[in-house]
Amino acid sequence: MATTSSTGAPAAAPSLTFTRPVFAKLSPHPYLLLSLSPDESSSTRSRRTNGRAPHEARPIQINTGSLSQAHGSALVRTGDTTVICGVRGELLPVTSIPQFRPTPSYENADDEEKARKELKEYDLLVPNIELATGCAPQFLPGVPPTTLAQTLSTRVYSLLHSSGLVDGRDLRVKYRPVRPPQDTEAMEEDGQEEEEEEEEVKAFWVLYIDLLFVSFDGNPFDAAWAAVLAALRDTVLPAAKWDADREMVICTTKEKGKKLNIRGHPVPCSAAVFLEKADQQHQDKGRHWILLDPDRLEETLCGEVITVVVDCEGNETRVRSLEKQGGTVLGRELIRGFVGVAEGRWKEVVKAMG
Amino acid sequence: MADRRRINGPAGATIPPVFDEDGKQYEHKVAKIRDRAPTAIRKMFLKTGVTPSASGSAYLEYESSAKSGVSGLKLSCTVHGPRSLPRSSPFSPHIVLSTHVKYAPFATKQRRGYLRDPSERDLGTHLETALRGAIIADRWPKSGVDIIISIIEGDQDRETSKFQGDETWDMMNALSGCITVASAALADAGIDCVDTVAGGVAALVQDTSDDSTPRIVLDPIPSEHEKILGACCVAYLPIRDEVTNLWFKGDLPASDIDLYTKLVESGIQASRNGNRVLVECLGETVA
Amino acid sequence: MTASTLPEAALGVLPRADGSAKYSHAGYTVTASVNGPIEAQRRDEHPYEAHVDVIVRPAAGVGGTRERHLESILQSSLTQIILVKNFPRSLIQVVLQVEDTPENDYVNTKLVQASLNFAIMPALFQTSVLALLSAGVPMRATAAATAVAVVPEDGAKKIVVDPSPRQIEIAQSVHVLAFTSQEELLLAESEGDFTVKEWDDVYETAQKICCRPASTKEGMEMVLDEEDAGGPDMRHFLRSTLESKVTADLHWK
């Protein structure tokens, strides 16, 4: 390999040699290319600059419940990417919802479907990603969220809703009105007891899902989503009741809190496509490598990226989201094959989640 | 106006949960007694190099108190630089420190917004003063260094209600932690300092459980005491025996000069203890 | 759905821009302007290629995180088809103004929603490609996009092209796929719940729409043929739009 270390260079030869980090900084593309395509003669396999094989992801480590101020929390580490997620519930009384309709027009839909629409319509899930924590040299605080941070927040938001991860029924705070005694007789005569006792929704829990990157080394979405998933599974909302006299929701620590019912285990798997020729203008594309779980250096060198979110809980693998953009290498066959890679990653992540 | 660059959630205001036990908090309070000796500080965990892509970084965690629901302070610090100042900034013969302290939204009882509030700016200014005295600034003319601290979890009791005014005292503990963690991160970044600076807090507290004479404790947890009369946060360089930043707050009789000196001395004592952890951690990294 | 099924487009609608286009289909109307190559701002300047800047403005209100996401998707796709290496250190700016979106009688539409809007993506995509062509920006290929939804119907699943907002509401999965004129998959965005097999079917449907081989049939037969396929022929549409524009421009000859 041409990446000889400067210390090993003979003093007689005036050839210019660089250390690996200098080479990586000066010309990253040839550096990665060289590493991926070893000499024909040598027996070394194709390796990335971080020592991984092209289809090798970094091991994932997930800790939950380490924060006590949040209602649910998770810390996810994959290689040098570290992200913390905190979930906190706050209450939204229905009186503060501008267009609240106690019986929405889609009443024919079943309750679960209705709850799902409530989530979206009243915006009960609020994910935000903070990258400006100095987690990498390009993310310094004092500036508004970058396009990357905004895109990530949107992707997490979209996936939260499209995957139906959170059961909207868990977020309702209901109240069964107590009939005043004088009305009781009158109502009993009319035989309308059941209608009187119908529960009404008085408030909703709003879940603020905040993600903080402590360290950033590529593939932020996979780490962020794993943190969201683990934190939501860890979330316990305090037991809440509507106090009719005070007209507000009162929580209690005497009763056990409510654990959120999280449906499914959608796990994302991302990869980037590295092309032999940085110049993409020609028809002849040359060789390419699909790099699973790319790091920061690889992300800057790859244009085409793919993220597949799969859930292998049932008999059949369900794809919950697929995003591919920025290139034309990944066609139908490669994407189909990539779903298989994502299944493998799913097992690893779910195992780490415990 | 709502922030267009973030996801803002519902248009109507959301309310943090209100607990029915709030009124009874005073009775519970007596039960929370400090079990450490007055001169002992909490155990600390300090680690450098948590953010490999930064020039230097460190993570600090205080042992959480025995009582459940009280979190230990958790801080993460990254240092970027020294690097050249932007072209637009004026000439500086020494290094320009810019400090940035931010609470994570989930760090405290009340959810924090994403924009820095005055108390966070205040912490940043105090931190800058504390570090400026330690860094050999004229080694890097025309350069700047960014010191960024994220407070992942504050030093607060989840169940304590807000009206007790804990937050001002919490800020002192936070500042002390910020100074220590920033010092470790600066050392990790290889920025020359005259000495390792560490923070320490001492407070004059009054508990009803003992004979109600005020006493001085190191590293106080506000929720463990009935009343805090005054506190000070000291940033101290042990080898040079110098204080780089002193923050004193409270309501003390002006006549008793001795008390002030004693409180500062106790703060220095707390800082020395913190410094031992710091030096030990840095020693491990070098070894 | 009452919106016309055939797309409509006009080129050069904005006299002051280098290139512009107006496109409406499936209830969406988008106007785009393209300026470039122009001088890039220092922070956007790239030493070897042109920077493609995409700005999406919603029909009402100001853009939020969702618009940023749409912009980043479009930007990465357009960078692939524009010959960006021909214009180092310059900027090609694409501004997309959404003018009209289909009315939704069922859902209480909020002005600011962070969720990704799949149905609007093909309209944005087509408009930007047309506007780039109108501006004469050199491109490696043209491209076309389409939205497809898998909707449950009487127990079976049905693939719907250009779904209405109501259909998206009840759909099991929604997909947007874009193909270049060389029949390469340029962009694929899907959400919902689907299997690889379903995605395959969606892929085939979308490919038919975006890159149907040039038909030998002409005129009326062509139109009839479209009815069968259940969707417009995007490649043909792009071509005929341009042809009519060129004919109109060269009319004085």
Side-chain angles (χ1 to χ4, degrees):
Chain A
M1 287 228 226
T3 55
T4 46
S5 94
S6 61
T7 49
S15 69
L16 191 62
T17 51
F18 296 125
T19 55
R20 277 181 150 258
V22 173
F23 186 18
K25 198 126 209 169
L26 281 178
S27 51
H29 192 273
Y31 175 66
L32 181 55
L33 182 62
L34 200 68
S35 180
L36 283 168
S37 48
D39 300 336
E40 296 289 317
S41 52
S42 71
S43 57
T44 47
R45 298 229 320 278
S46 179
R47 286 268 154 200
R48 299 200 236 165
T49 50
N50 46 31
R52 285 187 273 151
H55 267 69
E56 189 182 340
R58 294 170 284 191
I60 190 162
Q61 199 188 332
I62 301 172
N63 294 327
T64 54
S66 44
L67 302 182
S68 59
Q69 302 287 353
H71 292 128
S73 61
L75 174 88
V76 169
R77 235 183 247 134
T78 49
D80 285 340
T81 295
T82 309
V83 61
I84 297 175
C85 177
V87 177
R88 185 193 296 259
E90 287 198 3
L91 288 154
L92 177 72
V94 292
T95 47
S96 342
I97 300 175
Q99 290 129 7
F100 181 70
R101 290 165 296 169
T103 46
S105 56
Y106 39 75
E107 56 205 341
N108 52 344
D110 61 298
D111 197 39
E112 191 175 341
E113 190 58 23
K114 194 170 134 186
R116 189 166 171 162
K117 277 176 184 146
E118 279 172 1
L119 276 187
K120 195 154 191 168
E121 204 160 318
Y122 306 137
D123 242 347
L124 303 181
L125 303 172
V126 193
N128 270 298
I129 288 176
E130 182 65 286
L131 282 173
T133 57
C135 57
Q138 71 263 44
F139 303 119
L140 292 183
V143 289
T146 53
T147 310
L148 178 64
Q150 294 183 49
T151 306
L152 285 172
S153 298
T154 312
R155 287 170 71 189
V156 169
Y157 181 97
S158 295
L159 188 55
L160 271 174
H161 283 289
S162 74
S163 64
L165 197 65
V166 178
D167 189 342
R169 291 171 293 185
D170 287 350
L171 303 182
R172 292 177 184 156
V173 178
K174 287 187 191 160
Y175 173 63
R176 198 181 288 276
V178 181
R179 285 172 294 167
Q182 65 267 30
D183 281 2
T184 318
E185 288 167 39
M187 282 303 152
E188 267 171 347
E189 281 166 28
D190 295 347
Q192 284 181 325
E193 276 177 3
E194 277 154 36
E195 254 179 87
E196 257 305 288
E197 287 190 2
E198 199 161 294
E199 281 187 317
E200 44 185 307
V201 178
K202 283 293 189 185
F204 290 102
W205 283 103
V206 175
L207 297 180
Y208 288 95
I209 302 165
D210 294 295
L211 289 143
L212 192 86
F213 272 84
V214 173
S215 176
F216 181 93
D217 190 24
N219 203 357
F221 183 72
D222 287 11
W225 181 260
V228 168
L229 186 59
L232 283 173
R233 296 176 73 85
D234 177 57
T235 302
V236 177
L237 290 176
K241 272 198 204 85
W242 175 258
D243 189 329
D245 299 334
R246 287 157 81 182
E247 293 221 312
M248 63 190 287
V249 177
I250 302 291
C251 299
T252 174
T253 47
K254 283 177 204 130
E255 280 173 54
K256 242 182 106 190
K258 187 166 57 177
K259 206 162 168 73
L260 286 184
N261 173 25
I262 301 299
R263 291 176 291 201
H265 263 107
V267 171
C269 179
S270 298
V273 180
F274 179 71
L275 300 168
E276 184 176 15
K277 290 180 187 140
D279 186 355
Q280 244 248 319
Q281 312 289 337
H282 306 285
Q283 284 301 310
D284 162 41
K285 284 206 199 80
R287 286 179 296 167
H288 67 263
W289 290 266
I290 296 172
L291 307 177
L292 193 65
D293 191 15
D295 67 16
R296 204 158 56 98
L297 172 78
E298 288 162 352
E299 272 183 347
T300 57
L301 298 174
C302 300
E304 187 168 7
V305 286
I306 181 168
T307 300
V308 174
V309 182
V310 293
D311 194 343
C312 314
E313 203 116 88
N315 313 323
E316 198 180 15
T317 301
R318 309 294 302 187
V319 184
R320 310 310 296 265
S321 162
L322 191 155
E323 292 170 78
K324 173 224 119 102
Q325 50 180 287
T328 51
V329 171
L330 290 168
R332 186 181 184 173
E333 294 307 317
L334 282 171
I335 290 177
R336 242 190 291 188
F338 190 72
V339 174
V341 177
E343 285 166 13
R345 183 67 175 160
W346 184 86
K347 287 193 192 94
E348 286 173 37
V349 174
V350 168
K351 200 175 151 213
M353 220 166 272
Chain B
M1 202 200 118
D3 192 343
R4 281 186 290 120
R5 300 187 184 94
R6 291 194 172 89
I7 295 170
N8 293 299
T14 57
I15 310 159
V18 178
F19 288 89
D20 56 356
E21 291 90 350
D22 270 1
K24 299 171 202 153
Q25 275 296 317
Y26 274 126
E27 295 157 39
H28 290 295
K29 253 198 90 119
V30 194
K32 297 177 217 158
I33 300 172
R34 179 189 170 102
D35 47 7
R36 284 174 288 135
T39 53
I41 65 164
R42 279 173 290 173
K43 280 190 189 135
M44 280 196 269
F45 171 78
L46 184 63
K47 193 182 172 221
T48 54
V50 288
T51 309
S53 55
S55 313
S57 59
Y59 173 79
L60 174 70
E61 184 174 333
Y62 279 104
E63 176 197 36
S64 47
S65 120
K67 193 185 157 291
S68 67
V70 180
S71 56
L73 192 65
K74 294 184 181 70
L75 303 157
S76 144
C77 175
T78 56
V79 171
H80 294 271
R83 50 184 169 197
S84 58
L85 284 172
R87 229 174 255 256
S88 53
S89 57
F91 171 78
S92 163
H94 48 76
I95 200 163
V96 177
L97 286 181
S98 65
T99 51
H100 191 101
V101 180
K102 182 80 195 81
Y103 277 93
F106 43 77
T108 48
K109 268 179 296 189
Q110 307 290 317
R111 183 174 181 268
R112 294 263 177 169
Y114 275 98
L115 298 174
R116 276 201 298 170
D117 66 12
S119 73
E120 287 165 332
R121 286 173 194 280
D122 213 15
L123 280 175
T125 318
H126 276 295
L127 177 66
E128 195 205 323
T129 325
L131 296 177
R132 214 192 292 144
I135 292 178
I136 308 174
D138 49 3
R139 269 196 200 164
W140 291 276
K142 302 192 277 181
S143 331
V145 63
D146 291 286
I147 298 154
I148 303 137
I149 293 184
S150 308
I151 303 182
I152 295 162
E153 186 148 64
D155 220 1
Q156 276 183 350
D157 186 341
R158 182 147 94 184
E159 281 136 46
T160 318
S161 51
K162 203 180 157 196
F163 54 82
Q164 281 167 305
D166 276 342
E167 294 199 349
T168 48
W169 306 119
D170 284 328
M171 260 178 79
M172 284 215 168
N173 277 338
L175 177 62
S176 142
C178 285
I179 293 167
T180 313
V181 77
S183 184
L186 280 174
D188 188 41
I191 294 172
D192 301 351
C193 296
V194 290
D195 193 2
T196 50
V197 60
V201 183
L204 186 68
V205 298
Q206 193 166 29
D207 286 330
T208 40
S209 51
D210 41 57
D211 47 9
S212 81
T213 40
R215 56 183 181 135
I216 291 175
V217 293
L218 303 191
D219 191 19
I221 300 176
S223 61
E224 284 181 347
H225 303 287
E226 188 75 358
K227 200 171 181 199
I228 294 181
L229 299 170
C232 80
C233 177
V234 181
Y236 176 72
L237 302 169
I239 296 173
R240 307 187 126 203
D241 192 23
E242 277 177 12
V243 170
T244 58
N245 185 43
L246 176 66
W247 185 16
F248 209 105
K249 195 165 182 168
D251 191 11
L252 298 179
S255 53
D256 197 353
I257 299 296
D258 233 24
L259 194 61
Y260 290 88
T261 331
K262 251 193 231 157
L263 207 52
V264 173
E265 266 167 13
S266 305
I268 289 174
Q269 190 54 45
S271 162
R272 275 181 191 278
N273 288 339
N275 214 300
R276 266 202 288 281
V277 179
L278 178 60
V279 169
E280 201 176 306
C281 164
L282 294 176
E284 273 170 28
T285 323
V286 173
Chain C
M1 203 172 78
T2 49
S4 72
T5 44
L6 285 177
E8 281 171 43
L11 296 181
V13 288
L14 304 172
R16 284 178 176 274
D18 287 351
S20 59
K22 184 179 186 139
Y23 173 89
S24 45
H25 181 51
Y28 288 98
T29 304
V30 181
T31 299
S33 82
V34 168
N35 281 302
I38 52 175
E39 193 187 348
Q41 275 189 15
R42 255 193 70 145
R43 66 187 162 93
D44 293 333
E45 203 176 273
H46 192 290
Y48 302 115
E49 55 180 55
H51 175 79
V52 179
D53 188 20
V54 182
I55 298 165
V56 176
R57 299 190 197 280
V62 281
T65 54
R66 176 181 63 177
E67 276 69 30
R68 296 294 94 69
H69 188 197
L70 284 172
E71 286 166 8
S72 75
I73 291 172
L74 285 168
Q75 195 237 5
S76 70
S77 304
L78 295 178
T79 306
Q80 288 297 314
I81 55 170
I82 298 171
L83 292 169
V84 283
K85 293 268 151 85
N86 289 10
F87 309 101
R89 296 166 164 279
S90 56
L91 171 78
I92 295 169
Q93 191 175 47
V94 183
V95 182
L96 294 152
Q97 171 70 56
V98 181
E99 287 182 20
D100 202 7
T101 53
E103 288 287 322
N104 191 342
D105 312 328
Y106 300 92
V107 190
N108 168 21
T109 39
K110 274 200 323 176
L111 287 184
V112 189
Q113 264 222 346
S115 198
L116 190 58
N117 185 349
F118 275 73
I120 202 171
M121 273 204 274
L124 292 173
F125 202 90
Q126 252 82 276
T127 321
S128 42
V129 169
L130 284 171
L132 284 167
L133 288 169
S134 143
V137 174
M139 292 199 279
R140 186 165 68 90
T142 62
T146 188
V148 177
V150 179
V151 183
E153 205 179 71
D154 310 325
K157 282 166 189 162
K158 195 179 145 213
I159 292 178
V160 180
V161 179
D162 297 319
S164 68
R166 176 68 184 151
Q167 281 168 324
I168 288 179
E169 276 279 313
I170 56 166
Q172 281 198 329
S173 58
V174 192
H175 312 259
V176 170
L177 290 99
F179 294 86
T180 64
S181 48
Q182 286 133 14
E183 305 196 12
E184 296 161 317
L185 180 65
L186 181 63
L187 169 77
E189 296 275 327
S190 311
E191 69 170 30
D193 188 359
F194 54 99
T195 59
V196 180
K197 173 79 186 57
E198 281 170 26
W199 187 77
D200 259 355
D201 297 343
V202 166
Y203 181 94
E204 259 163 35
T205 314
Q207 196 181 24
K208 252 184 226 152
I209 294 164
C210 293
C211 29
R212 188 177 307 164
S215 177
T216 47
K217 297 171 192 166
E218 289 290 327
M220 203 51 206
E221 265 183 291
M222 185 85 183
V223 178
L224 289 172
D225 200 35
E226 271 167 19
E227 304 287 309
D228 303 334
D233 177 356
M234 277 303 159
R235 185 197 269 183
H236 177 77
F237 170 72
L238 286 177
R239 175 175 276 270
S240 62
T241 309
L242 278 173
E243 274 169 359
S244 58
K245 172 69 178 161
V246 170
T247 322
D249 283 355
L250 298 180
H251 183 67
W252 57 274
K253 272 186 173 171

